[in-house]
């Protein structure tokens, strides 16, 4: 399950990948717009500034986090569509 929140005043998107009490590191995806926070070396959050213009950075964040880029983009788009509201998404593989 993913939790996404777009803060319209800050023009910042936060996508929680896992619940973590404390973040202790980060991986810079872009030195200005995107980073992945970690807890114990595990990716737990993606922060994306000015997301409407930088959704392409989620492709690189997907490589770092192991989460599908299309899932990250769906979370981001959903949060941007309803700013200042927490959006929770659950992804499941399609079953035959």
């Amino acid at each position: 399950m993913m939790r996404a929140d777009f803060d319209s005043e800050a023009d910042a998107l936060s996508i929680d990948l896992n619940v973590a009490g404390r973040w202790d590191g980060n991986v810079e995806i872009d030195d200005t717009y995107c980073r992945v926070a970690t807890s114990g070396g595990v990716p737990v959050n993606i922060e994306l500034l000015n997301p409407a213009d930088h959704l392409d950075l989620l492709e690189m964040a997907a490589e770092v986090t192991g989460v599908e880029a299309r899932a990250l983009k769906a979370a981001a788009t959903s949060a941007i569509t309803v700013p200042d509201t927490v959006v929770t998404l659950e992804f499941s593989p399609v079953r035959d």
Side-chain angles (χ1 to χ4, degrees), residues 9-83:
E9 187 173 327
D11 197 15
L13 174 70
S14 176
I15 302 174
D16 289 327
L17 307 173
N18 294 300
V19 176
R22 179 176 130 87
W23 302 346
D24 55 21
N26 69 66
V27 177
E28 296 293 327
I29 302 300
D30 177 271
D31 62 350
T32 303
Y33 296 102
C34 187
R35 72 174 180 216
V36 175
T38 60
S39 180
V42 176
V44 293
N45 178 275
I46 299 169
E47 179 182 72
L48 183 62
L49 302 179
N50 192 10
D53 293 332
H54 296 97
L55 288 178
D56 58 308
L57 294 174
L58 293 177
E59 296 277 342
M60 290 184 276
E63 293 176 19
V64 170
T65 62
V67 176
E68 285 189 48
R70 64 186 181 149
L72 293 177
K73 287 181 180 179
T77 302
S78 297
I80 291 168
T81 301
V82 288

